[in-house]
Amino acid sequence: MSPRPFRPDVDAPEYTGKYAPYDIIKEGTIALVVVGLLVVLLATLFGSPDERAITIKAWSNADPIDFATTALGELNGSTITASYGAPYNTASPGQALGPLHLARWAGVTIPINTANDFVVDPLSSVPGDPALRSALAAWKSAAPQQRSTWVSHYTKGAPKMTWSLGHINVPATDVGPLPTMINQLTAMARSGALDQALVTGGGFYTTNYTKPLLFVADGTYLASLAQKQHLLGSQWGMMNETGSYPGQAWLWLYTFWYQVPPFNTSPSADVQVWATMMFLSLLLLLVPWIPGLRSIPRKVRVYRLIWREHYRAT
Amino acid sequence: MSTTEIDRQWTTRLRKRVAGKLPPEKLLPDTQPAYVSSWIYVFGVTTIAALSMVILSGFILSIRGPQWWHSSSIGHFVNSLHLWSVEVFFFAMIVHLWGKFFMAAWRGGRTLTWMSGVVTFLASVGAAFTGYVSQTNFDSQWISTQAKDGINATGAGSVFNVLNLGQMLMWHIVLLPLVAVLLTALHVLLVRIKGVVPPFDEKTGAAE
């Protein structure tokens, strides 16, 4: 049986050359000291960003109309969360990778009914206030068709929404209890009570901020602040962080795909970009087995630079 | 108990196997091939040193809890150490990775070494990401609400909820660091077992 031929991109030649002294412990210690000093220097010179988290209270006080419009959107189903699909609800089939609806197949595992979770349930936790009790009773006892009519009428008037004397005003009729509900929710938000109501909906202890984060992200206030910090998706998005810091620079390729066709105009961009990155990661992982790809190092000869002393000596 | 019986014990067989694969002179070598003489080799040990700083600063941040660094100047400084350790870690790791790519460092039965390095990189990306969404500040609000769409679209959002602070924090401080550290240890042991990949042999035409 003849020996297997030498495959230069798979096999390594046996090294029979010289050996040099090598103190691995000393090397590790020096590296730790140098890196430690470098990190201390960088931390001292540049610090780290810590922009305070925004609250629903801050949002509703800074822009009550945006807040009220978003609350209305949670009732009429027009917000991002209300129309999201899995894992929050079934309002949309969600993104597709060709024929694959991965999110839909995974199912609704974090159920969110925006009308109830973001508006009706928080309002139901407000004690006293006969007008609100009456409005909620009217809402809860109304037939779906009746609610839909109220919401539709109120939504039509919403573009002319104003904020004056601590009240949201919408020029619309036949809107049932909606003016009371939207105004009470806005007042609740401006007092800070809605922040608490959304977080503690699951009980006294919680570490889950899914609901308040989804609600805040449904408005335009969070995005407007992010835009000022150059954090929007079109500004290379989530790989950045506030201030002049490197952020997650290693995500540059992931973020890059969102900037170029066909991804930047695709309604299924997220799943397509993820699929692309999974494929590229798999390629990187399996380089040793992929003919052509595994030959690149030998062909481009960067190794001559790395081992220049070795080649000079031999 | 007979010698044969002792030899058959799982413990004995494991010890012999480990000692055969990784004798002390391989685990803690005092010489190395003369071709290991380039600045590119510095980035492997730099990555490990930076990982040590990441873990050390993370330990300190953990002592007083996830919100301490917002209200304490010392805490903020430790957070800065944590951030910059991560930045140095990724810089060194990526240079190391590309250096190894251009050496075709998987040659000579080193494919598992290569793969463990790549998986460590991917696990580290996850560890850093969960850290960014666990900061309890504006960055974590924005990054988590943006990132949810990509993760949800793959179906992974059904179990990996980036808006759940408690879940992300546990992934960040327990699960992913454990994976990253174990993989790094495996990677280093594989390097010790297999040695550093030799240069292409141009004389025999191995490198065209």
Side-chain angles (χ1 to χ4, degrees):
Chain A
M1 190 173 158
S2 60
R4 199 180 58 181
F6 186 85
R7 297 167 299 171
D9 302 317
V10 177
D11 303 318
E14 190 182 347
Y15 181 70
T16 54
K18 291 180 183 172
Y19 278 72
Y22 175 48
D23 192 340
I24 191 171
I25 298 297
K26 187 176 176 182
E27 180 190 78
T29 307
I30 291 172
L32 199 58
V33 170
V34 170
V35 169
L37 289 174
L38 175 65
V39 166
V40 169
L41 183 70
L42 289 167
T44 306
L45 287 178
F46 303 113
S48 54
D50 188 21
E51 195 82 21
R52 284 173 67 90
I54 66 162
T55 59
I56 294 173
K57 179 182 180 181
W59 167 29
S60 54
N61 276 284
D63 194 346
I65 289 183
D66 181 53
F67 172 82
T69 304
T70 306
L72 175 61
E74 307 296 8
L75 289 173
N76 68 22
S78 65
T79 60
I80 293 170
T81 306
S83 57
Y84 199 90
Y88 306 129
N89 49 49
T90 55
S92 152
Q95 298 190 17
L97 187 64
L100 311 177
H101 286 81
L102 302 173
R104 193 172 62 186
W105 293 346
V108 178
T109 54
I110 309 168
I112 304 275
N113 178 321
T114 55
N116 288 337
D117 290 330
F118 295 160
V119 181
V120 177
D121 290 350
L123 285 175
S124 301
S125 70
V126 176
D129 199 330
L132 177 58
R133 290 274 143 237
S134 171
L136 285 174
W139 175 265
K140 288 176 182 173
S141 61
Q145 184 59 42
Q146 177 65 73
R147 290 183 194 168
S148 180
T149 303
W150 289 336
V151 169
S152 174
H153 290 165
Y154 199 80
T155 303
K156 279 182 187 161
K160 293 180 179 171
M161 184 185 288
T162 57
W163 168 255
S164 64
L165 302 173
H167 265 76
I168 293 289
N169 303 293
V170 172
T173 54
D174 189 16
V175 291
L178 283 180
T180 304
M181 290 169 66
I182 294 293
N183 266 296
Q184 288 293 338
L185 192 74
T186 306
M188 190 181 180
R190 287 165 64 84
S191 73
L194 186 57
D195 284 290
Q196 285 305 309
L198 289 176
V199 172
T200 57
F204 183 80
Y205 284 111
T206 182
T207 55
N208 189 349
Y209 291 80
T210 302
K211 287 180 185 175
L213 281 170
L214 286 173
F215 195 0
V216 168
D218 281 340
T220 63
Y221 182 65
L222 180 71
S224 68
L225 295 179
Q227 185 174 23
K228 288 176 190 163
Q229 297 276 1
H230 307 285
L231 299 175
L232 292 188
S234 56
Q235 298 167 307
W236 291 68
M238 49 161 266
M239 66 173 273
N240 296 322
E241 58 187 326
T242 50
S244 301
Y245 292 89
Q248 300 178 86
W250 44 90
L251 293 180
W252 74 270
L253 187 58
Y254 172 75
T255 314
F256 164 77
W257 296 119
Y258 284 94
Q259 319 300 319
V260 297
F263 305 106
N264 61 351
T265 55
S266 170
S268 291
D270 292 306
V271 70
Q272 289 166 351
V273 168
W274 263 85
T276 304
M277 289 306 292
M278 288 295 105
F279 175 71
L280 293 175
S281 298
L282 207 59
L283 279 188
L284 186 66
L285 185 71
L286 301 178
V287 160
W289 284 280
I290 302 174
L293 209 54
R294 69 186 180 193
S295 303
I296 291 175
R298 182 167 52 88
K299 306 267 188 192
V300 300
R301 292 165 69 89
V302 173
Y303 70 83
R304 291 237 19 140
L305 193 66
I306 295 169
W307 289 310
R308 60 186 179 281
E309 288 184 24
H310 167 77
Y311 290 115
R312 200 181 297 141
T314 56
Chain B
M1 191 180 274
S2 67
T3 311
T4 314
E5 198 174 340
I6 290 173
D7 284 345
R8 281 186 188 153
Q9 290 185 133
W10 290 9
T11 308
T12 314
R13 285 158 67 177
L14 178 65
R15 188 186 67 230
K16 285 184 176 176
R17 193 175 169 82
V18 169
K21 287 267 185 194
L22 197 59
E25 60 271 20
K26 269 194 174 182
L27 182 63
L28 292 172
D30 47 23
T31 61
Q32 66 182 354
Y35 59 79
V36 187
S37 62
S38 164
W39 273 101
I40 200 75
Y41 289 105
V42 167
F43 290 95
V45 70
T46 304
T47 306
I48 294 173
L51 178 61
S52 306
M53 288 299 296
V54 171
I55 291 168
L56 178 65
S57 53
F59 269 144
I60 300 171
L61 284 173
S62 300
I63 292 170
R64 298 288 294 272
Q67 307 232 46
W68 168 58
W69 71 283
H70 297 305
S71 55
S72 158
S73 57
I74 297 172
H76 193 111
F77 181 70
V78 177
N79 182 72
S80 304
L81 291 175
H82 197 58
L83 167 73
W84 287 105
S85 305
V86 171
E87 298 291 346
V88 173
F89 170 76
F90 273 99
F91 175 77
M93 192 185 217
I94 290 167
V95 174
H96 174 69
L97 195 154
W98 284 111
K100 292 299 163 188
F101 174 80
F102 286 115
M103 294 181 208
W106 50 80
R107 290 175 296 130
R110 294 173 178 83
T111 47
L112 195 56
T113 314
W114 169 265
M115 291 175 75
S116 63
V118 172
V119 176
T120 307
F121 171 68
L122 297 176
S124 302
V125 169
F129 169 75
T130 51
Y132 271 88
V133 297
S134 302
Q135 293 180 89
T136 60
N137 62 10
F138 182 83
D139 277 317
S140 51
Q141 283 182 312
W142 179 250
I143 293 170
S144 61
T145 52
Q146 291 298 293
K148 77 178 193 304
D149 297 329
I151 293 168
N152 287 343
T154 66
S158 63
V159 289
F160 189 79
N161 179 10
V162 297
L163 305 179
N164 184 337
L165 172 67
Q167 186 186 12
M168 289 303 102
L169 191 62
M170 295 304 276
W171 277 75
H172 180 63
I173 66 174
V174 180
L175 300 178
L176 289 170
L178 193 64
V179 170
V181 168
L182 288 177
L183 283 170
T184 302
L186 171 70
H187 184 72
V188 171
L189 287 177
L190 286 169
V191 173
R192 289 292 103 226
I193 291 169
K194 291 287 182 180
V196 181
V197 72
F200 287 103
D201 187 353
E202 296 189 322
K203 285 182 179 171
T204 59
E208 292 162 4

